[in-house]
Amino acid sequence: MAILRVRSWDDFQHYKDRAPVWIKLHKKLLDNYDYARLPLASKALAPMLWLLASESTDGTVDFDLGRIAYRLRESEDLVIEAIQGLLRGGFLILDNDLDGAASELLATCSQDACLETEKEKRKSIEEANASSRRKRAAPDLPNCPFDEIVALYHEKLPELPGVRLMEGKRKDAVRAFWRWVLTSTKSDGQRRANDADQALTWIGQYFERGRSNDFIMGRTGRGEGHANWRPDIEFIIGEKGRKHIIERTVDA
């Protein structure tokens, strides 16, 4: 059977003539450049493999993949990935592989891993290209006039809670509403607005339509526990508010 031999096994030994109950782990490993460049799986499982090697007197482990995976309580795929990295880095040596089965297994798994990595790389590139295309396709929108939108809200809906702060989620909500007004279409397929002036005009009309909505203005009964609830600007411009106002107005 093929075996895995730990390079420089004597460095891990305190007792030279028997299998120890513990091994030495030198602090200098932190500054070992070759170790630092190992894949994460190799760095994580290397000490565990060294412990397995300590059960022999010569620092070797039988290359029985299923048994090694069981002893480490890890999947065979992860163990192979770790061993491959340690072999390439020179921390392990594959010996006694007379029929080449172990080398073939490791090489096959390495090719599969490379193919998987290549697929992931292509997918990442495709996603980046798609994101770039979406950004190029997106229209250049005018900056969101927060103050003017708030002024329209106060003018058209003075009965509702006023806006004193414009930050965080509220600011994000107003910005999203501004983008929606400039990019969405009405039921007839026409854009609601093509520029900032048209958008502000539409928003003023939208707030005005809110006044005719009994639910928005509190002219209908509230559910239990919501008797004193009044919608604020975030509700009015959000998805729920738009459904209440727009779906009850044919040309909205």
Side-chain angles (χ1 to χ4, degrees), residues 12 15 34-35 39 120 123 140 177 179 185 209 221 231:
F12 297 90
Y15 301 104
D34 292 329
Y35 184 81
E120 292 176 356
K123 182 180 179 181
D140 292 331
F177 180 63
R179 171 176 286 275
T185 57
R209 284 193 292 270

Side-chain angles (χ1 to χ4, degrees), residues 157-174:
L157 298 167
E159 299 89 348
L160 299 186
V163 176
R164 296 185 179 182
L165 297 175
M166 180 56 64
E167 57 189 15
K169 292 182 178 180
R170 171 175 287 173
K171 191 170 187 178
D172 291 340
V174 174

Side-chain angles (χ1 to χ4, degrees), residues 212-224:
S212 64
N213 185 284
D214 291 339
F215 174 80
I216 294 293
M217 301 308 298
R219 292 188 288 267
T220 59
R222 303 288 191 207
E224 184 177 353

Side-chain angles (χ1 to χ4, degrees), residues 223-242:
E224 184 177 353
H226 297 84
N228 298 319
W229 178 82
R230 291 187 300 161
D232 58 11
I233 189 172
E234 288 161 277
F235 181 91
I236 296 295
I237 65 177
E239 182 179 353
K240 291 182 178 180
R242 295 200 298 267

Side-chain angles (χ1 to χ4, degrees), residues 3-4 6 43 48 54 56 72 89 155 159 175 185 193 246:
I3 60 174
L4 294 169
V6 178
K43 287 191 285 188
M48 306 299 290
S54 74
S56 70
L72 301 186
E155 175 188 344
E159 299 89 348
R175 185 184 292 110
T185 57
I246 292 178

